[in-house]
Amino acid sequence: MLHNTSIDLAVNLAVIARQSGVKLTPVASTLMATLCANVRNGISLDQLREAPLAASPDGIYDYSALKSAIQRGAEGQKIPGNRHVVASYAESAHDTLMDNYIKEYATLVSTHILFARSVVYRDMQTFVDKLQSSVSGIRMKNAEDLFNVVYVRKHDVFNSSVIENEVYPYRDHTCTNSKFGFRESIFTPEFDLLDSLLTGETGQDELIKNWYASVGGEKLLSYMRVVDSDSFILRLSSIAEQMNFYLVNFLFFRKLALQPDLSVGLSVTALTGLAVALRNANACWLLSAMDQYNNYVKSNMLMFPLSSGSLSFLPENGGIEVRIIEEVFERATAEGLTLEHIFGFIADRGQEPPTLDTIKNSGDSYLEVWRRQRGLFSVYTSERRQSMLKDAILHTYREVLSSPEHMESMAEYYGQNTQAVNESVRQGEAYLAGLTFEEMENSLSVALHLVARIAYRHSNAYDIIKGMLEVMARDPETEPTRAVTVSITRYLTKYLMSQLVRT
Amino acid sequence: MTNPTISTADAGIDLVDNAVIIANVIELASGIVANIDASTANGTMNRDGMSRAVLANLVANDIKASLTAQ
């Protein structure tokens, strides 16, 4: 039996097929061939010729005779009833075949849907979750991240009275060495560094406290713990840090010289003598460092020399520390220069620090250098991200393939044969090799291909899930149940149409 | 203007054959979907409120797309 709806739609489509010059023929020995033969054999063309089809005035033909003929060709025999016999219906061969196959296919397709949803889609979701978790930690740097910019400004404490009165007098002195071999013994838990630096003058001490807070007690304490100050100073990355180093030591030994109350195994006289010597040495070195700093500012240097390295795109590099001299940079910004000018200069010239005039006189040429570098870096990071994403996808894919859930599902088809998994990996790698970066970023699509199409290639889950995702992509409001219905309908239609030859 | 009259034979045997084939595709596909076990995947697949006629139209749409595809 064929429902009227099926026949009405079929005749309309047959007209379209004729207009498109399409003739359909069932492939021999297929279900479609048998079903169609059953109906076709019941249609008498001679009978049809006797039933002319009237065309409507607007040119739409009436195919009711054809529809009736198809209906009769498919249906069985109606046995009329009478007083003794109940009316009945004897199934046609077409009825029997159609009813049986509908039931069998419905059961089979149910199994396929169940498998697609509860096994294949589960693995797809696992893949997507794992992948997103692993790539969320990947943060690619911006070009500006290649630099670690620190603004340096000389603290007011370096212009205070204690400096003016007790440090400036060391100008033109030859600075001596400043080793203090028993430092560690004074750093007891009770040791209060800030207190050991104060002068007793309120205004001066406020400046010292402010400076102490801005640099940080821990850092200043680390300066105090240094035994071999000569090599340590070499490791300090800027004059500004050296100034802090010498100031904390100067203030400490200055107070110790006045109050020699530390228990370090020396007589008061010896301790005082040592403290005075170290106070003087640190004052001398502090003045030398301050002079260097002032010379930088006077000569309009925008930054201190780079402590190490040059511009590198390698992410392992934590970024070049660029110590900008804030007083000079303020003058530069007033003249329209930016950090990008300085970045361009570093990219072009390396470690040599630029002056304000050097950059200003070059117009925007260093800005152009930086823009080109940014462009190159963008290409570099894009390629690197693509490579990292591809690695993450493959790693995640292997994880899913080796998960107990997947192994259990595959065992139903392949037993314990690892060749099937190896083949999944091989096909997966080949698939990934052909993807663009944008395609790789669509994790659900990648999961669909890797998991549903490749790993579960023995099933038809790919078609079912793909159709479902397409429906939901067109209308995100679509309920999953509706999406499955549409997908499976499409899948079945495609399957049945594959039993036809189109000429 | 005289209303044209045609016979099925004039319309061509292809029309009959194509109609029979397509009717079977529609009947079978819509019938299967309408009969899929409602308990599948905890109700994932059920009749979904779609009548067999609606399903038949869904199938017909896909066939039409297939027929008119180049």
Side-chain angles (χ1 to χ4, degrees):
Chain A
M1 178 179 172
L2 291 170
H3 285 83
N4 287 335
T5 310
S6 301
I7 296 172
D8 289 344
L9 291 166
V11 171
N12 291 340
L13 289 171
V15 172
I16 291 172
R18 187 181 60 182
Q19 288 165 351
S20 303
V22 173
K23 173 170 173 51
L24 301 170
T25 312
V27 175
S29 306
T30 60
L31 171 62
M32 285 307 299
T34 311
L35 282 170
C36 292
N38 282 342
V39 179
R40 192 67 180 77
N41 292 339
I43 298 176
S44 163
L45 282 179
D46 290 340
Q47 194 176 13
L48 281 177
R49 282 200 186 91
E50 292 166 5
L53 302 174
S56 65
D58 55 5
I60 299 172
Y61 295 113
D62 177 5
Y63 293 106
S64 55
L66 173 58
K67 292 173 184 175
S68 298
I70 294 173
Q71 182 82 58
R72 285 196 302 275
E75 71 185 3
Q77 187 180 358
K78 290 172 185 168
I79 302 167
N82 56 36
R83 278 191 301 176
H84 308 290
V85 180
V86 178
S88 61
Y89 176 79
E91 282 189 342
S92 66
H94 181 270
D95 286 336
T96 307
L97 204 57
M98 182 68 85
D99 289 349
N100 287 343
Y101 272 102
I102 281 177
K103 283 177 191 154
E104 281 188 28
Y105 272 107
T107 305
L108 188 64
V109 171
S110 296
T111 312
H112 290 172
I113 293 171
L114 184 62
F115 183 76
R117 183 172 177 82
S118 61
V119 176
V120 182
Y121 194 76
R122 173 206 64 195
D123 281 3
M124 281 175 59
Q125 199 58 53
T126 303
F127 174 89
V128 169
D129 291 346
K130 280 178 178 284
L131 181 63
Q132 285 177 349
S133 163
S134 74
V135 297
S136 64
I138 301 176
R139 177 188 169 268
M140 299 310 291
K141 290 173 181 287
N142 294 318
E144 285 73 12
D145 292 337
L146 297 172
F147 300 98
N148 176 22
V149 176
V150 178
Y151 293 95
V152 177
R153 179 186 284 278
K154 191 171 74 174
H155 193 276
D156 288 344
V157 76
F158 293 102
N159 296 323
S160 62
S161 58
V162 73
I163 300 292
E164 192 172 329
N165 297 329
E166 300 183 33
V167 174
Y168 281 172
Y170 286 90
R171 190 175 305 287
D172 302 329
H173 278 233
T174 301
C175 298
T176 56
N177 213 335
S178 57
K179 289 202 169 96
F180 184 39
F182 47 83
R183 288 170 188 249
E184 199 59 34
S185 61
I186 66 175
F187 299 121
T188 60
E190 297 77 31
F191 179 70
D192 184 344
L193 177 59
L194 177 59
D195 185 61
S196 71
L197 304 178
L198 299 178
T199 63
E201 289 181 35
T202 308
Q204 177 66 57
D205 286 349
E206 283 305 312
L207 281 172
I208 291 174
K209 286 176 186 174
N210 185 280
W211 163 76
Y212 183 92
S214 67
V215 179
E218 284 297 315
K219 184 172 239 181
L220 290 173
L221 192 60
S222 74
Y223 290 168
M224 291 295 300
R225 286 175 180 273
V226 172
V227 175
D228 184 356
S229 58
D230 291 344
S231 63
F232 181 79
I233 288 296
L234 291 175
R235 291 199 298 274
L236 291 177
S237 60
S238 73
I239 296 297
E241 277 191 299
Q242 291 181 23
M243 286 162 58
N244 289 332
F245 176 89
Y246 289 123
L247 180 59
V248 71
N249 279 283
F250 163 73
L251 290 173
F252 175 78
F253 290 113
R254 177 189 173 281
K255 189 164 185 179
L256 184 62
L258 295 171
Q259 299 172 18
D261 53 0
L262 281 180
S263 293
V264 290
L266 291 177
S267 66
V268 171
T269 307
L271 184 60
T272 305
L274 184 61
V276 167
L278 291 170
R279 177 200 65 194
N280 296 348
N282 278 291
C284 184
W285 287 114
L286 173 58
L287 185 61
S288 171
M290 286 169 58
D291 284 345
Q292 283 187 60
Y293 181 92
N294 291 335
N295 285 337
Y296 272 111
V297 175
K298 276 182 198 164
S299 55
N300 270 340
M301 299 298 282
L302 278 161
M303 52 180 272
F304 294 111
L306 295 177
S307 58
S308 63
S310 56
L311 184 61
S312 166
F313 285 173
L314 290 178
E316 294 77 32
N317 189 323
I320 302 175
E321 188 166 86
V322 178
R323 293 183 165 263
I324 302 288
I325 300 172
E326 202 170 357
E327 290 148 278
V328 182
F329 187 65
E330 283 173 356
R331 293 203 286 272
T333 53
E335 305 233 21
L337 302 182
T338 64
L339 269 180
E340 291 188 322
H341 286 89
I342 298 176
F343 293 161
F345 183 91
I346 296 170
D348 192 49
R349 305 283 285 275
Q351 289 185 291
E352 174 194 342
T355 66
L356 193 160
D357 293 336
T358 310
I359 293 185
K360 193 173 73 176
N361 294 338
S362 67
D364 280 338
S365 63
Y366 290 117
L367 199 58
E368 283 304 314
V369 169
W370 179 239
R371 284 177 182 154
R372 283 199 301 275
Q373 288 289 327
R374 282 190 64 155
L376 283 173
F377 186 74
S378 173
V379 172
Y380 170 82
T381 51
S382 170
E383 287 173 350
R384 186 167 171 79
R385 180 164 167 74
Q386 182 164 355
S387 169
M388 291 169 82
L389 182 57
K390 188 175 172 184
D391 288 347
I393 289 172
L394 265 177
H395 177 74
T396 307
Y397 182 45
R398 287 198 177 98
E399 271 192 331
V400 170
L401 291 179
S402 59
S403 69
E405 296 83 5
H406 181 78
M407 297 295 275
E408 188 182 342
S409 306
M410 296 299 282
E412 291 178 20
Y413 292 88
Y414 299 109
Q416 298 304 316
N417 186 356
T418 55
Q419 287 300 313
V421 175
N422 293 340
E423 178 60 18
S424 296
V425 172
R426 191 194 67 74
Q427 288 189 26
E429 287 173 341
Y431 160 71
L432 280 178
L435 288 191
T436 64
F437 181 47
E438 288 70 26
E439 287 168 334
M440 272 195 266
E441 283 198 311
N442 187 342
S443 56
L444 190 58
S445 173
V446 171
L448 176 70
H449 284 83
L450 284 178
V451 178
R453 185 170 66 81
I454 295 175
Y456 287 101
R457 56 192 171 279
H458 56 272
S459 77
N460 47 19
Y462 171 72
D463 288 312
I464 295 171
I465 298 173
K466 176 170 173 274
M468 184 181 167
L469 294 178
E470 283 172 354
V471 172
M472 295 180 81
R474 274 198 299 275
D475 180 8
E477 300 294 315
T478 307
E479 290 291 323
T481 51
R482 175 61 53 91
V484 172
T485 300
V486 175
S487 172
I488 205 69
T489 305
R490 186 153 296 161
Y491 172 67
L492 281 168
T493 306
K494 190 176 162 189
Y495 167 71
L496 295 173
M497 291 295 281
S498 73
Q499 296 183 19
L500 307 174
V501 175
R502 175 180 162 157
T503 52
Chain B
M1 181 177 168
T2 308
N3 286 342
T5 56
I6 62 167
S7 71
T8 304
D10 292 336
I13 302 298
D14 290 352
L15 181 68
V16 180
D17 287 341
N18 283 347
V20 169
I21 291 167
I22 294 168
N24 276 289
V25 173
I26 293 172
E27 187 74 18
L28 195 52
S30 62
I32 293 168
V33 177
N35 277 276
I36 285 175
D37 188 352
S39 67
T40 299
N42 299 321
T44 297
M45 186 63 196
N46 53 28
R47 303 209 179 187
D48 192 28
M50 283 186 168
S51 67
R52 189 147 174 173
V54 172
L55 290 169
N57 273 282
L58 211 56
V59 176
N61 270 336
D62 285 344
I63 296 173
K64 183 180 177 184
S66 169
L67 290 176
T68 52
Q70 294 301 311

